Every structure is written in structure tokens, then in C-alpha cells.
Amino acid sequence: MEKTKKNMTILEIFGWVLTLFVIFPVYIMVINSFKDRKEIFTSELSLPKALNFTYYIQAIQKMDFLTALGNSLFITVTSVVFIIVLSSMAAWVLERNKTTISNIIFYTLVATMLIPFQSVMIPLVQYLSKWQIPGTNFSLIDTRYGLIFMNIGFGIGMSTFLFHGFIKNVPLEMEEAATIDGCNKFQLFWRIVFPNLKPIIVTVAILNVISFWNDYLLPSLVLRSPNLRTIPLSTFFFFGEFTIEWNLALAGLVLTIIPVIVFYLFSQKYIIKGVMAGAIK
Amino acid sequence: MKKNSNTLTFWLFLIPSLFVFVNVVIIPFILGIIYSFTDWDGFSFFGSKFVAFSNYLKVFKDQNFLSAFLLTFKYAIIMVIISNIIGFSLALLVTRKMRTRNILRSIFFMPNLIGGLILGFIWQFIFTKLFVQLGTVLHASNIFFNWINDPNMAFWSIVIVSAWQMSGYVMIIYIAGLESINPDIIEASLIDGAGPVRRLFNIILPLTVPSFTISLFITLSNSFKQYDTNLSLTNGGPYGTTELLTMNIVQTAYKHNQYAIAQSKAVVFFVVIMIITLVQVYLTKKREVEM
Amino acid sequence: MLADGVKDDVTVDGKLYGLPSAVEGYGLIYNKNLFKEANIDPASITSIDALVNACEKLSKLNGVVKPIAFAKETYFSFIHPFNWAFAVDPNYKTDIEKLDKGQITMKDIPSVVQWIKDMDRIKPYTNNALDSYDDQVAGFASGKYAMIHQGDWVQSVLDQDKPNFDYGIIPFPTGGNTKLAVGTATAWRVNKYATEEQQKAAIEFLDWLITSDKGQEYSADTLKFIPAYKGVKAPKAPLAAEVAQYVDKGEIIPWVYNNYFPNGIDVDGSNLIQKYYAGLIKNDDQFLSELTNIWVQDAGK
């Protein structure tokens, strides 16, 4: 027993040594973000001489960080809410009505999860740019709702699949009892079924949040105006426009990962569980 | 009457999803295949001519595309091996009864939340600046130099960064697999006196084959689709030697404005990724059954 | 009034489509102190021979790692340097037209052939375009590089490096060239979708900015714009002031790439020139034929 305990401690220390590979780049980024150009170019390893926040302020202005943060939050949250509502509804009727047509729809949804984004992106942008309503400014290109619309389209296959698998294991009795009590289908879904989906809702939400928040390629094709840029986009343009001025760039990078770390600190338990649940399905 | 209202709800619940899905995925996918057989200019399809397979012939003669293709293969194979070995080992480590195992899991998983584009920029600093300094300080400039300027090391730098990210993800999948193993089986093997190596190969590995199916699938398809880190870390350089498939397609379309050819490349990409992942899933599934 | 060489950027078929707000110029930004130390008169660098001579002297100085540095980004490694080849060619429009159609190759354009020959001469004295823009400018500020191939836009970065020497800018003397490459980065355009009143107000504002004393002062001192017009007040920053002198004297040649280079040539050309620096191109013939290939491919779709 003594020996296993000792072995466990050694393993634990080994585990912590491994975390250095994760922590070290972040550490390097943070310490250098406080240095001025001269300091960065002479020594990347030393601690900064002073906690100098000027580059943070400059980076916030030049990246238009707060706008980008707002855009990212709005786009991610709205897309995910829509996905949860739409795909849970779809999954429920697909699961509870086993007909040929529902099977065809379900398997099409699942099969298209294999289509890589790259193979539809070029026609997608061209096709949706044709959606215009005369006399209005409506456009799916270069608008936040346009990107949300596309996010939903790309997330719905996997999300419906996850809900479908979960609903399969929810017993029918409650739904039957509610129907006898005179619930119509909408009431039945929103009052009885939906509240019972909580665990899978968390999973779907987390998987989609991670992918939308970090997505670069789709937003880069859809959003053109600088004031609509999401965080990955504004980071990319920030690096491009000034080519890389590392002192500013590092401060900008630290800024971009702060929201992620905060989110992670509050919800890491759910994230790990959510990813686990999503992967097993 | 009941039947009718059922059908009505069925469609009412389904149509919003289907509407978005069909317009975002299905129609562009079909259009994409059609466009790849025409001389479409990227804007109006009206007036494009049918050109049969001539785009595809050009695609297979395009040296840059072929080398991007080969490089992506090489990259995917290396990534699948490395990230699964690391991910599985990490999972073995953090499923042991340690006090801090949950914190360890969280830390190993963290790079996944940061996103490939931003990770690429962070590591660019490490490879281009820190490495140069380490080279001088440690008098080891044959190991530590600007990796991004060297075609070979620039490739490996993409591998390192994405393996660093992907391993945490597959670790989670393996943890799920390992935790679902019935403890009694492990217990029994301990009583039988099986050593740790035998336990790993005869009991743990066979019981986690389903996790391997998923992890291999995810690492394989994600590696084929790699773009963000490629863009932010090396941007395809030096002189185009680290350009992966997606970057080649994006460049063809949006840099060179050769939309029809880019779309043909995208179709080829789809077919290849489809074949490879289906073969992989088929093979590992077969193994699951045999076990 | 509109300085020669910038007209092309804002006109289409001879019609003016915008008022250039400011011009930028690039060439070789050089360290005046190092030049003095090596006893080189910057005004004497009017040929590649003179440049090579200067490089030879500069490379012997203490602390100088390479006399000339290019940055590795696509525009800095290829577009800007290669622009010289066409900018010094009086027939660049027709030459490029023929090139696009595949009627001639790069080898048929004397200024292009001369340019690659000149590059061959200076290549040993360069950093092989391996530095990022950031590193290139920092290297110049620290005295590692005596010259960098850059434009006056480096001022803001250079200021942060606080170099302890004076610096100026000279043209790249390919084929004996003595003119600076100057173009417009941005232009004022009146939005035709705006209301009539807004358009009128915008035109009045531009008129004020360019012709009135107050406007010129604002443009030069606050916006730090180098005027695109002759006889207009120039900003005080050292590089901008020197560029403005070239503009005033009319010693400028255009940024041909703004309107005449095919899409995608920045990436393809930069890949090619990096191969060239890495020693993967055997000779000028190979360079020029590969350049012709990518050019025609990018132009032809």
C-alpha cells in the first residue's frame, strides 16, 4: 500500500511536469506582453522590468477589441440558442415518428456531417449573396445574422444527431400521460420533453460554442466590414495590418484568450463532460 | 384527424431546421459539384460554359496542388499517430487515482479552447523569437533557430502545435473509454497477477477499441481540414513548402480568383476525405466486432 | 498639380475617380551614420556598381551583419522589389499587356532582365529576405542592417525603436535608376450613394484640406500625410520629408503593381523569390521563365 501511494505521487509530479508544455507558451506570451520593443528584442526569457500596460491599451484600440468581443459573444450565443431550439425540435419529431421519410431526413443529416466545410464554402458564399430583398438592405453576406444563419446550418446536423440519440433513451410514458391530459404537441414538447433534455443541451451548447467562438474560415469569407469582425478575425487583421509588431501583438493575444480562460474557469466541469458525452455518441 | 395533426406538427417542427440546413449545406454542395464542371467565374453562374473534366485535368496537373496533397497526407498520418499516442497516454495517467487528476485534465484540455488561429500566432513567437534566443544562450543554434524559415522544421512546427492541441481532445475521449471499463475486470486481472504491460495490451486496449474508432476518425478528419494553424503559424511558407490542402483551395479561389478550379479541388478533397474516413471507420469497427 | 506618377492610381481611362489623400514612397532606407563611417556619399549611389561598392565597405564595419535587408512578407519580399523592374520601363503598360496575353516573356523585357541581374549582384549582401518586417526594422534600428528596403510607413515602428542615428531614403538603382517609387496608399473618394448635401460638404472639405493653409497644415502635421500635390506642405518626419522632396522634384516612378499586376502574384512571386534566395533557382533564365509562368497563369485564369 505504501508503495502504491509513493508511485502515485511520482506519477502526479510527472503529470504536473507535463503541464509545463501547456503553461510555458502562455507564460512566455504573458511576460513578453509587458515589454517594449527593445526589451523583447534583447531578451525573451527574462521577466519584464515593469508591468507596463500601454501595449494593452494600444492593442485594445487597434484591434477594436471590445467591438470584436461583442460580435463574438452575440454571434456565438445567438447561433447556439437557435441551434438548441431548432435541432431539439427536429430531433424529437424525427425520433418519435418512425416513417420512411423521417429516416431519410435523419440519415441525410447524419451523412452530411462528413462533408467538409471546404467543399461547400465557395458556392455557399456566392449562392447566399444572391439572397436579396429589393428595397431593403437585407443580405446574408457581411451581416451578423447572415453568419448566424450559416453557423446554424453547419451545426444542425451534429446537434440533431446528439439530441436524437438522447431522446431515444427518454421513456415515452410521460409524454403519453401528458397527451391524455390534453396537452397539444407544442405544450408537450416545451413543458415535458425539453426540460428533460438538460444534460444533452449542455453538451450541444458547449461543442457548438467552442467551434463557433474559434472559427476563422467561415467568418473570414462572410464578414467584410471591420466593425463586424469577430475575435479571430480581428486578431488576424491586427497581425496582418501592422505585420507583426510583437510587443503589441502579444498583448493582443493575451486579450483574446482572457475571455476563454474566464469561461473555462467557470464551466470546465461541464466542458469536459460535454465533450466526453459528445464524443461517445 | 389525429394522423393529420401529427403530420402537421412533424413538418412544423422540422421545417425551420431543414430550411437552414438545405440552404447552407445541401444546395451549395450540389451547386459546387455542378460548378466544378464549368468555367464559372465566381460571380454569376449565368453564362458559364460546361467544360466537362477540363478543370479536373488542370487540378491534377497543378504541381502546387499535388504537393499540398502529399503534404496533407503526410501531415494527417503523423498527426493521427502522435496525437493518439500522447492522448491515450495522458488518459492513462489522469484516470489513476490522483488527488489533482481533474485539474490535470482541465489543463491538458485547455489548448482546445484557444483555437488554432490564435495558438498559431502564440507559437510563432516561440519558434521565431524565443528559439533564436535559446540558440544563442544555450549555444545550440543547430537545434534552436528560426524554425519557420526552414521548410522541414516549419512543417514540424505545425505538427507540434496541432498535436499539442489535439492530444488534449482525444485524451477526453480515451478517458471516457477507460472509465467505462468495469473495475471488476481490472481487479480480476490483478488477482491473476497480470503485470501492467500485459494488463494494458490484453485488457485495456481491447476494451477501448470503440474510443480508438472515434479518436482516429476525429484526428484524421481534423488533420485533413487543417487551416487555421497553417495560416497563422507559417502561412504556407517558406516558399509554399508548408501549404496544406485547405490553404491551397482558399488561395486558388480568393487569391487567384480561379473559382471553378478551386471548386474542383474542393470536390476532390471531399471525395478523398470521404473514402479515407469511411475506410478507417470500417476497419476499426470490424476490429470492435472481432474483439 | 497632381504629382506625376500618382495619377495612374486614381484614374481609370483618363477619368479621375478619387483625390489621392497622401502618397507613400519606398526605396532603400539607409543609416546615415554608418554611411559616413564607411565614407559613402548616398548621392553617389546611382548604379548597381556603386551600390555593390557601398555594400562591400559597409559589410566591413563593426556590428553590420548584412548591408541590406529585405522583409519576408509577400509585398516586401517580392511586390515592392520587383516593382522597380516595371517602374523604370517607360513601356510598362504595353509590355504587361503583351505579357498577360502570352505574346512575350519576361526575358523579352530588358528592364526585367536587368533587374534580376542586379539582384544577383546584391544578393550576397542581403539577409536573403528571411526577417519578418518587425525583425527587419528592429535590425535596422540596432545597426545590424545598414539599409532596409522599405517605405516611409516604417516611421511609426522605427520611432518606437528609438534609433540613435539619422536615416534617409534613396532609390533602388536598378539599371541606373535615380527615382523613388511613390504611390497612393489611400485616396479620398466621395460616396456617390450619399445625399447631395453630404456630397457637397465632402467636396468642400477636400477642397479645404488640399488647398487652404489650415487644411494643409492639418494634413501634414496631424494626419502626417505626404501630399500628392506639388507645392503643398509636407510633414516633418524625416522619411516623409525626404519622400516629399522627391515628389516635389518629380523624381518619382509609379507603383505599377497597384493596377497592373495580376491577382495572386504576390504569393506566387514571393514563393519564387524566396526559392531564389534559398539558392533553389539555378540561373536568371530559370527565374525569368518561372516568373513568366506564374505571371501568365495568374493573369490568364
Side-chain angles (χ1 to χ4, degrees):
Chain A
M1 206 57 212
E2 262 309 298
K3 203 180 148 221
T4 31
K5 229 181 185 168
K6 209 172 147 195
N7 277 345
M8 214 41 93
T9 317
I10 293 170
L11 268 182
E12 198 156 9
I13 291 169
F14 177 65
W16 280 98
V17 171
L18 287 180
T19 63
L20 288 181
F21 285 98
V22 180
I23 295 167
F24 182 69
V26 178
Y27 164 79
I28 289 290
M29 171 178 68
V30 173
I31 60 165
N32 283 293
S33 66
F34 293 106
K35 298 178 188 171
D36 64 22
R37 273 177 69 79
K38 272 235 160 101
E39 227 182 322
I40 286 191
F41 278 97
T42 43
S43 173
E44 284 94 22
L45 276 167
S46 61
L47 285 170
K49 281 187 219 133
L51 278 189
N52 181 350
F53 282 93
T54 44
Y55 298 115
Y56 280 87
I57 294 162
Q58 280 185 41
I60 288 177
Q61 288 166 346
K62 289 195 177 165
M63 282 174 84
D64 209 349
F65 181 73
L66 296 176
T67 313
L69 180 66
N71 288 333
S72 272
L73 277 175
F74 176 74
I75 289 166
T76 307
V77 170
T78 318
S79 307
V80 170
V81 168
F82 269 103
I83 282 195
I84 287 169
V85 171
L86 297 184
S87 60
S88 63
M89 282 164 59
W92 181 60
V93 292
L94 285 173
E95 197 336 275
R96 294 303 192 219
N97 299 278
K98 281 284 165 59
T99 57
T100 323
I101 187 94
S102 74
N103 279 334
I104 292 175
I105 293 173
F106 179 66
Y107 285 109
T108 314
L109 277 170
V110 175
T112 49
M113 280 161 61
L114 285 177
I115 299 179
F117 170 72
Q118 287 83 341
S119 60
V120 296
M121 63 185 177
I122 303 169
L124 169 81
V125 173
Q126 182 255 357
Y127 167 64
L128 290 183
S129 70
K130 298 275 149 61
W131 285 31
Q132 284 158 351
I133 300 175
T136 66
N137 281 332
F138 176 84
S139 165
L140 289 176
I141 304 301
D142 204 20
T143 56
R144 281 178 289 207
Y145 56 82
L147 178 58
I148 291 169
F149 184 79
M150 291 177 227
N151 274 343
I152 298 171
F154 287 113
I156 221 150
M158 180 197 69
S159 309
T160 308
F161 175 69
L162 290 174
F163 276 118
H164 192 270
F166 188 85
I167 293 170
K168 211 188 305 183
N169 298 322
V170 176
L172 260 174
E173 282 85 26
M174 257 200 308
E175 291 173 38
E176 278 161 356
T179 318
I180 294 165
D181 287 350
C183 266
N184 69 30
K185 288 276 173 183
F186 279 91
Q187 291 168 327
L188 178 64
F189 180 76
W190 288 115
R191 289 202 194 144
I192 313 291
V193 180
F194 194 76
N196 276 314
L197 299 179
K198 238 180 230 153
I200 194 72
I201 290 174
V202 174
T203 301
V204 169
I206 280 167
L207 292 177
N208 283 307
V209 165
I210 296 176
S211 81
F212 296 153
W213 185 269
N214 290 324
D215 194 13
Y216 169 76
L217 191 48
L218 175 63
S220 77
L221 302 178
V222 176
L223 303 176
R224 282 156 200 173
S225 311
N227 62 330
L228 296 181
R229 283 175 191 160
T230 59
I231 286 186
L233 276 182
S234 77
T235 311
F236 180 77
F237 281 99
F238 180 58
F239 271 73
E241 227 164 290
F242 302 91
T243 22
I244 300 176
E245 286 179 44
W246 277 118
N247 48 338
L248 277 183
L250 290 170
L253 287 175
V254 174
L255 285 173
T256 63
I257 68 167
I258 288 174
V260 177
I261 304 271
V262 171
F263 171 68
Y264 195 41
L265 283 180
F266 284 106
S267 53
Q268 45 154 314
K269 216 171 75 198
Y270 299 103
I271 292 176
I272 304 254
K273 273 196 190 139
V275 172
M276 241 186 233
I280 300 168
K281 292 280 147 52
Chain B
M1 187 59 212
K2 180 151 188 294
K3 189 98 210 256
N4 275 343
S5 87
N6 248 344
T7 323
L8 183 69
T9 3
F10 178 77
W11 288 112
L12 274 180
F13 272 57
L14 205 53
I15 274 175
S17 295
L18 281 186
F19 175 76
V20 186
F21 176 72
V22 166
N23 281 296
V24 172
V25 182
I26 303 289
I27 293 178
F29 180 67
I30 295 167
L31 286 178
I33 293 175
I34 298 173
Y35 290 169
S36 71
F37 292 101
T38 68
D39 63 353
W40 179 53
D41 65 357
F43 301 98
S44 168
F45 182 59
F46 193 73
S48 302
K49 281 195 297 286
F50 177 73
V51 296
F53 284 94
S54 88
N55 289 331
Y56 288 96
L57 287 178
K58 277 186 202 155
V59 165
F60 286 110
K61 272 190 225 147
D62 180 342
Q63 270 313 310
N64 289 340
F65 178 73
L66 295 180
S67 54
F69 211 109
L70 281 180
L71 192 74
T72 309
F73 258 104
K74 182 175 152 192
Y75 170 77
I77 291 168
I78 293 170
M79 277 299 294
V80 166
I81 296 171
I82 293 185
S83 51
N84 280 285
I85 290 178
I86 300 179
F88 187 73
S89 313
L90 288 179
L92 280 179
L93 181 73
V94 297
T95 45
R96 305 297 292 268
K97 289 191 178 53
M98 297 187 281
R99 260 170 305 129
T100 51
R101 63 179 174 176
N102 283 328
I103 309 176
L104 287 175
R105 286 177 193 191
S106 301
I107 294 177
F108 291 134
F109 183 73
M110 201 179 68
N112 274 284
L113 291 172
I114 298 179
L117 187 91
I118 287 164
L119 276 184
F121 284 131
I122 297 175
W123 279 86
Q124 198 190 340
F125 183 77
I126 309 269
F127 287 126
T128 60
K129 313 278 328 165
L130 186 74
F131 267 38
V132 174
Q133 206 201 353
L134 282 179
T136 348
V137 173
L138 303 174
H139 298 287
S141 49
N142 49 343
I143 306 171
F144 295 110
F145 52 91
N146 186 337
W147 278 24
I148 306 299
N149 277 343
D150 179 272
N152 199 20
M153 296 325 276
F155 171 77
W156 284 101
S157 69
I158 306 177
V159 171
I160 288 173
V161 177
S162 20
W164 187 73
Q165 181 185 28
M166 200 101 83
S167 304
Y169 196 87
V170 294
M171 171 194 76
I172 299 287
I173 301 170
Y174 286 123
I175 291 175
L178 289 171
E179 286 187 337
S180 68
I181 297 177
N182 187 344
D184 293 347
I185 299 177
I186 307 279
E187 197 85 9
S189 76
L190 280 173
I191 293 166
D192 285 352
V197 178
R198 254 189 63 205
R199 201 159 64 232
L200 177 65
F201 281 98
N202 293 351
I203 299 168
I204 296 177
L205 278 178
L207 285 172
T208 44
V209 172
S211 310
F212 275 94
T213 310
I214 305 162
S215 303
L216 292 177
F217 172 77
I218 289 179
T219 44
L220 198 56
S221 63
N222 281 354
S223 308
F224 263 95
K225 295 183 206 163
Q226 172 61 271
Y227 177 67
D228 295 4
T229 309
N230 192 192
L231 177 73
S232 59
L233 189 59
T234 70
N235 196 11
Y239 43 91
T241 46
T242 59
E243 188 175 278
L244 295 177
L245 265 179
T246 302
M247 184 176 281
N248 184 275
I249 296 172
V250 171
Q251 297 274 7
T252 311
Y254 299 104
K255 263 278 171 212
H256 295 90
N257 297 337
Q258 300 173 334
Y259 289 91
I261 291 183
Q263 187 51 36
S264 312
K265 290 178 175 177
V267 173
V268 173
F269 180 60
F270 163 72
V271 172
V272 170
I273 213 171
M274 201 65 177
I275 294 173
I276 291 177
T277 47
L278 287 180
V279 167
Q280 177 261 319
V281 171
Y282 171 77
L283 287 179
T284 37
K285 280 268 180 212
K286 209 172 102 190
R287 233 173 137 66
E288 271 176 49
V289 179
E290 278 167 6
M291 284 297 175
Chain C
M1 322 172 351
L2 200 57
D4 297 330
V6 293
K7 274 183 201 148
D8 262 4
D9 292 338
V10 284
T11 48
V12 178
D13 298 331
K15 257 174 115 179
L16 195 65
Y17 274 90
L19 287 176
S21 56
V23 294
E24 291 179 321
Y26 71 81
L28 292 169
I29 297 175
Y30 67 99
N31 181 325
K32 287 189 177 169
N33 295 27
L34 288 177
F35 267 52
K36 222 172 267 164
E37 205 181 318
N39 210 359
I40 304 162
D41 175 13
S44 72
I45 301 188
T46 52
S47 66
I48 281 295
D49 287 335
L51 182 63
V52 170
N53 259 332
C55 286
E56 194 56 48
K57 286 186 199 161
L58 288 164
S59 55
K60 285 185 184 124
L61 294 183
N62 240 347
V64 175
V65 178
K66 288 284 176 190
I68 306 180
F70 290 85
K72 72 179 195 185
E73 285 81 4
T74 56
Y75 267 67
F76 301 144
S77 65
F78 178 75
I79 296 286
H80 288 162
F82 182 61
N83 179 64
W84 297 109
F86 281 121
V88 298
D89 172 8
N91 306 319
Y92 69 85
K93 278 183 206 169
T94 47
D95 279 348
I96 290 178
E97 222 178 283
K98 285 184 199 155
L99 197 57
D100 289 350
K101 289 183 189 145
Q103 292 165 349
I104 56 170
T105 73
M106 291 287 177
K107 279 172 223 162
D108 302 320
I109 306 171
S111 60
V112 174
V113 177
Q114 183 61 47
W115 175 81
I116 187 68
K117 270 190 198 151
D118 292 345
M119 289 302 287
D120 292 342
R121 304 266 323 266
I122 63 157
K123 189 176 144 197
Y125 301 102
T126 69
N127 65 337
N128 287 334
L130 285 175
D131 291 44
S132 68
Y133 170 62
D134 205 31
D135 289 347
Q136 181 205 26
V137 177
F140 177 68
S142 71
K144 231 170 91 180
Y145 305 128
M147 290 176 260
I148 50 173
H149 190 269
Q150 273 301 352
D152 60 86
W153 52 79
V154 300
Q155 192 77 56
S156 64
V157 187
L158 204 51
D159 285 346
Q160 294 180 51
D161 285 331
K162 304 181 194 85
N164 52 5
F165 54 81
D166 291 330
Y167 45 88
I169 188 165
I170 50 171
F172 184 73
T174 179
N177 169 54
T178 53
K179 293 174 175 176
L180 210 60
V182 170
T184 40
T186 50
W188 301 106
R189 286 183 174 82
V190 178
N191 186 348
K192 71 170 178 179
Y193 297 106
T195 66
E196 211 167 293
E197 250 165 77
Q198 285 171 328
Q199 290 193 22
K200 217 178 124 203
I203 291 169
E204 271 168 21
F205 166 72
L206 291 180
D207 206 39
W208 171 80
L209 192 69
I210 294 164
T211 56
S212 81
D213 287 347
K214 269 247 168 74
Q216 288 185 14
E217 219 161 88
Y218 177 70
S219 181
D221 298 339
T222 312
L223 298 174
K224 302 218 165 55
F225 282 167
I226 303 171
Y229 310 89
K230 290 176 192 164
V232 170
K233 185 180 169 166
K236 287 190 201 80
L239 289 174
E242 291 205 7
V243 172
Q245 280 174 20
Y246 277 94
V247 175
D248 225 31
K249 283 186 285 182
E251 296 273 287
I252 54 174
I253 46 177
W255 291 2
V256 177
Y257 57 86
N258 262 0
N259 291 316
Y260 299 94
F261 279 24
N263 285 325
I265 195 72
D266 55 335
V267 175
D268 291 336
S270 138
N271 285 343
L272 178 63
I273 200 146
Q274 283 179 23
K275 269 192 224 166
Y276 166 78
Y277 282 123
L280 300 175
I281 306 281
K282 276 187 292 252
N283 49 35
D284 290 359
D285 266 10
Q286 191 194 349
F287 185 91
L288 294 175
S289 68
E290 285 197 21
L291 185 57
T292 309
N293 287 345
I294 55 175
W295 186 285
V296 173
Q297 198 192 339
D298 288 344
K301 288 197 185 175

